[in-house]
Amino acid sequence: MSLSPTPQAPSQHLIFVSRSSLLSPQPPSLLIQQQIPPALLVSLGIKVSSRVRCLTKSTQPGTLFPDGGDDPVVAAEEEPKQERLPPPAPSYGDALSLGIREPVYEVVEVKAGGMVSTRKISRRHLLKSSGLRPRDIRSVDPSLFLTNSMPSLLVREHAILLNLGSLRAIAMQECVLIFDYNTRGGKAFLDTLLPRLNPRGMNGGPCMPFELEVVEAALLSRVQRLEQRLMQVEPRVQALLEVLPNRLTANILEELRISKQNLVELGSRAGALRQMLLDLLEDTHEIRRMCIMGRNCTLKKGNDDMECPVPLEKQIAEEEEEEIEMLLENYLQRCESCHGQAERLLDSAKEMEDSIAVHLSSRRLEVSRVELLLQVGTFCVGVGALVAGIFGMNLKSYLEEHVAAFWLTTGGIVFGAVVAFFLMYTYLRTKKIL
């Protein structure tokens, strides 16, 4: 076949290869060299070689058209008629390609043997190692402290998530990861947990599973902090209740306000922890999930009965269920006691504020009575001044010619003012205004 290159645009030449030539066993590059002169190939240059490479890559060993011999030109014409599927949604692994920065947490890792280490862990690695989902991490994420400030204890298949105010941790079978370990809650939790990590319990028997030890240490540290704050606030409130309301100063009133604010915060935290423990005790499913963690046991759907292939594991799980309930009830009682004491002190402080308000109101009433008496006296004296002003005009009244007129007028003004004052005072007392 003949080729007619255009002199104006040599780079726009097209190469037509027949179907019979493409079906031949020879490579496409040899076919092109046999049918096109070498001078023309040199003039076409890179464009020809790139098309040859495309044909070579698309040709697999065997037949050239493995779909049954369809012509690629016809297939290319029919391709737009096919329905195009929507592109797949970006997965979590495409976060870096989308420009989203993956969060990295700096945590303290405490092993079951008591080894403590600080390391940085990415969110993706944390999800893979703990078997959690992204929505579970939100409950302990330190960057979301405004949205997850309420205490919570979430039980998952391989981990327990703890959110107790400033303490945020993930307890697993072999280790626990503590977020924000430099806070007071994190330090108190470490001080409580590390002495408990011994191979045998205090009574010589085997200790509880590691994740339950972590839960108990977290509850113990939290309740102890609440009790310590209560012990600090209670003596100050008692001292203020003894001094008030007889001694009202700005410093004492300010101290009462601060103590009341601390009691409100303490009662709120103790109440939130108490509500969390109540909800957990009422949820049998969550308690049994804590019992079967790390064991080859499952829960029946509907009645949440434990099924274990080994009867001994079921017996141990049932005993741990009773221990967990007793443990939660113990801390519930302590939290209830702390909350009740804080509420009683808060009620006493509110009653003292009411007493102070009544005392101040009585004082304001006394001041108002004195002001009213002064206003009445001022009115009476003002009437006498009016009379004196009338006589002070430069008009002749022929009274100035009498010697006793001055004393009579002065005595009359004073007497009239006194009589008017007593009359008004009697009237106000009769109407119970004074």
Side-chain angles (χ1 to χ4, degrees):
M1 58 190 301
S2 61
L3 297 173
S4 57
T6 305
Q8 290 79 1
S11 60
Q12 300 296 326
H13 283 295
L14 299 177
I15 303 174
F16 298 93
V17 182
S18 64
R19 180 181 178 89
S20 59
S21 302
L22 291 173
L23 291 175
S24 62
Q26 296 181 0
S29 58
L30 296 178
L31 293 175
I32 293 174
Q33 291 179 2
Q34 289 178 3
Q35 298 180 9
I36 302 175
L40 185 57
L41 289 176
V42 172
S43 63
L44 292 177
I46 299 175
K47 195 161 188 174
V48 174
S49 62
S50 63
R51 295 199 177 191
V52 171
R53 283 196 300 269
C54 293
L55 290 174
T56 307
K57 289 181 181 179
S58 63
T59 307
Q60 303 294 335
T63 178
L64 187 61
F65 306 105
D67 297 334
D70 294 335
D71 196 344
V73 178
V74 178
E77 293 177 355
E78 295 178 357
E79 184 177 0
K81 299 179 181 180
Q82 298 178 359
E83 183 179 359
R84 294 185 179 180
L85 296 176
S91 61
Y92 182 76
D94 300 334
L96 296 178
S97 62
L98 295 176
I100 302 175
R101 184 178 180 183
E102 184 180 7
V104 179
Y105 306 109
E106 185 175 358
V107 298
V108 167
E109 182 180 10
V110 181
K111 297 289 186 180
M115 297 179 60
V116 182
S117 60
T118 305
R119 66 190 184 96
K120 294 183 178 180
I121 183 171
S122 62
R123 186 185 183 94
R124 186 182 306 175
H125 182 64
L126 179 60
L127 294 175
K128 289 182 180 179
S129 60
S130 59
L132 299 174
R133 296 184 179 181
R135 62 174 177 266
D136 300 329
I137 300 295
R138 287 197 293 268
S139 63
V140 295
D141 194 344
S143 60
L144 303 176
F145 66 95
L146 294 177
T147 59
N148 53 16
S149 58
M150 296 298 294
S152 62
L153 194 151
L154 304 180
V155 182
R156 296 296 180 258
E157 186 177 359
H158 302 289
I160 299 177
L161 295 95
L162 297 168
N163 180 5
L164 301 178
S166 58
L167 171 62
R168 302 167 188 268
I170 300 177
M172 292 173 280
Q173 298 179 11
E174 298 296 334
C175 66
V176 57
L177 301 178
I178 306 172
F179 301 87
D180 288 343
Y181 52 89
N182 289 324
T183 59
R184 289 186 296 177
K187 293 179 180 178
F189 173 66
L190 285 175
D191 295 338
T192 307
L193 176 63
L194 293 179
R196 302 172 64 92
L197 297 181
N198 51 357
R200 303 182 69 84
M202 299 298 294
N203 56 357
C207 60
M208 292 191 302
F210 175 71
E211 57 271 12
L212 298 184
E213 289 281 356
V214 172
V215 172
E216 184 177 4
L219 293 176
L220 178 60
S221 63
R222 182 61 175 173
V223 173
Q224 283 181 348
R225 289 184 60 209
L226 293 177
E227 292 175 348
Q228 289 175 0
R229 293 193 61 184
L230 180 61
M231 293 175 62
Q232 293 175 359
V233 176
E234 185 176 5
R236 290 186 297 175
V237 176
Q238 294 293 346
L240 290 174
L241 294 179
E242 293 177 359
V243 173
L244 295 172
N246 298 325
R247 183 182 175 186
L248 289 177
T249 60
N251 294 332
I252 292 179
L253 293 177
E254 180 66 19
E255 188 175 355
L256 179 63
R257 186 191 66 82
I258 295 174
S259 300
K260 182 182 175 182
Q261 183 178 359
N262 292 334
L263 286 174
V264 169
E265 183 180 357
L266 179 61
S268 176
R269 293 184 179 181
L273 183 60
R274 181 195 60 175
Q275 188 63 39
M276 186 203 75
L277 293 175
L278 282 174
D279 296 341
L280 189 60
L281 281 171
E282 294 176 357
D283 195 349
T284 310
H285 179 73
E286 293 294 318
I287 296 178
R288 291 184 177 178
R289 287 183 67 181
M290 294 172 63
C291 297
I292 67 174
M293 186 178 296
R295 293 187 174 92
N296 189 17
C297 300
T298 56
L299 295 177
K300 288 184 180 179
K301 293 183 177 180
N303 53 7
D304 291 335
D305 291 338
M306 289 183 288
E307 292 182 348
C308 302
V310 181
L312 181 60
E313 289 189 353
K314 183 176 181 180
Q315 182 181 358
I316 296 175
E318 291 177 352
E319 293 177 356
E320 285 188 358
E321 181 180 1
E322 296 179 359
E323 292 181 359
I324 292 174
E325 290 182 356
M326 294 176 61
L327 176 69
L328 294 178
E329 289 178 356
N330 178 29
Y331 288 108
L332 177 61
Q333 292 178 359
R334 296 177 62 176
C335 186
E336 181 71 28
S337 175
C338 182
H339 178 263
Q341 185 64 17
E343 289 293 330
R344 284 191 294 271
L345 290 174
L346 183 60
D347 292 340
S348 300
K350 289 181 178 179
E351 290 178 359
M352 182 55 63
E353 283 189 343
D354 296 339
S355 177
I356 292 172
V358 172
H359 187 70
L360 293 177
S361 298
S362 64
R363 286 192 175 183
R364 284 193 293 267
L365 180 59
E366 293 177 358
V367 172
S368 300
R369 293 178 62 183
V370 174
E371 288 180 353
L372 183 57
L373 289 175
L374 291 177
Q375 289 177 2
V376 170
T378 304
F379 172 75
C380 296
V381 174
V383 173
L386 175 63
V387 176
I390 292 175
F391 282 99
M393 292 187 296
N394 295 325
L395 297 177
K396 292 183 178 182
S397 60
Y398 302 102
L399 291 177
E400 59 272 8
E401 296 178 357
H402 301 279
V403 179
F406 172 79
W407 299 107
L408 291 175
T409 305
T410 304
I413 292 173
V414 173
F415 180 76
V418 172
V419 171
F421 177 79
F422 277 103
L423 289 176
M424 294 191 67
Y425 179 77
T426 304
Y427 173 79
L428 294 175
R429 290 296 298 270
T430 304
K431 298 295 183 179
K432 296 182 180 181
I433 299 176
L434 286 176

Short mmCIF file of all heavy atoms in Angstrom, two decimals, residues 30 49 67 98 234 252 272 314 347 385:
data_model
loop_
_atom_site.label_atom_id
_atom_site.label_comp_id
_atom_site.label_asym_id
_atom_site.label_seq_id
_atom_site.Cartn_x
_atom_site.Cartn_y
_atom_site.Cartn_z
N LEU A 30 8.48 -5.49 12.45
CA LEU A 30 8.99 -6.01 11.18
C LEU A 30 8.02 -5.74 10.05
O LEU A 30 8.42 -5.46 8.91
CB LEU A 30 9.25 -7.52 11.32
CG LEU A 30 10.35 -7.91 12.32
CD1 LEU A 30 10.45 -9.43 12.40
CD2 LEU A 30 11.67 -7.30 11.92
N SER A 49 8.10 5.12 16.37
CA SER A 49 8.63 4.16 17.35
C SER A 49 7.71 4.02 18.55
O SER A 49 7.53 2.93 19.08
CB SER A 49 10.02 4.59 17.81
OG SER A 49 9.94 5.85 18.45
N ASP A 67 -10.12 -11.74 22.35
CA ASP A 67 -11.55 -11.68 22.62
C ASP A 67 -12.38 -12.36 21.53
O ASP A 67 -13.59 -12.29 21.55
CB ASP A 67 -12.01 -10.23 22.75
CG ASP A 67 -11.36 -9.58 23.93
OD1 ASP A 67 -10.98 -10.30 24.87
OD2 ASP A 67 -11.22 -8.34 23.88
N LEU A 98 -4.99 12.43 49.45
CA LEU A 98 -5.95 13.53 49.42
C LEU A 98 -5.45 14.75 50.15
O LEU A 98 -6.15 15.75 50.24
CB LEU A 98 -7.28 13.07 50.04
CG LEU A 98 -8.04 11.98 49.28
CD1 LEU A 98 -9.27 11.56 50.06
CD2 LEU A 98 -8.40 12.43 47.89
N GLU A 234 -14.08 20.56 101.99
CA GLU A 234 -14.99 20.46 103.13
C GLU A 234 -14.55 21.29 104.33
O GLU A 234 -15.39 22.02 104.90
CB GLU A 234 -15.16 18.99 103.52
CG GLU A 234 -16.16 18.77 104.62
CD GLU A 234 -16.37 17.30 104.91
OE1 GLU A 234 -15.65 16.47 104.29
OE2 GLU A 234 -17.23 16.98 105.75
N ILE A 252 -14.22 37.09 102.71
CA ILE A 252 -14.99 35.91 103.10
C ILE A 252 -16.04 35.58 102.05
O ILE A 252 -16.25 34.41 101.69
CB ILE A 252 -15.63 36.15 104.48
CG1 ILE A 252 -14.54 36.22 105.55
CG2 ILE A 252 -16.63 35.06 104.81
CD1 ILE A 252 -15.06 36.48 106.95
N ALA A 272 -21.52 12.48 87.12
CA ALA A 272 -21.31 11.87 85.80
C ALA A 272 -20.68 10.49 85.93
O ALA A 272 -21.07 9.54 85.23
CB ALA A 272 -20.43 12.78 84.94
N LYS A 314 -15.91 -21.29 81.11
CA LYS A 314 -17.22 -20.71 81.40
C LYS A 314 -17.37 -20.44 82.89
O LYS A 314 -17.89 -19.40 83.31
CB LYS A 314 -18.31 -21.63 80.91
CG LYS A 314 -19.71 -21.06 81.10
CD LYS A 314 -20.76 -21.96 80.51
CE LYS A 314 -22.16 -21.35 80.69
NZ LYS A 314 -23.22 -22.22 80.11
N ASP A 347 -25.58 22.46 99.34
CA ASP A 347 -26.85 22.95 99.87
C ASP A 347 -26.62 23.87 101.08
O ASP A 347 -27.30 24.89 101.24
CB ASP A 347 -27.73 21.77 100.27
CG ASP A 347 -28.20 20.97 99.05
OD1 ASP A 347 -28.19 21.53 97.94
OD2 ASP A 347 -28.56 19.79 99.22
N ALA A 385 -37.80 77.15 106.38
CA ALA A 385 -36.97 78.03 105.55
C ALA A 385 -37.82 78.82 104.58
O ALA A 385 -37.49 79.97 104.22
CB ALA A 385 -35.94 77.19 104.79
#
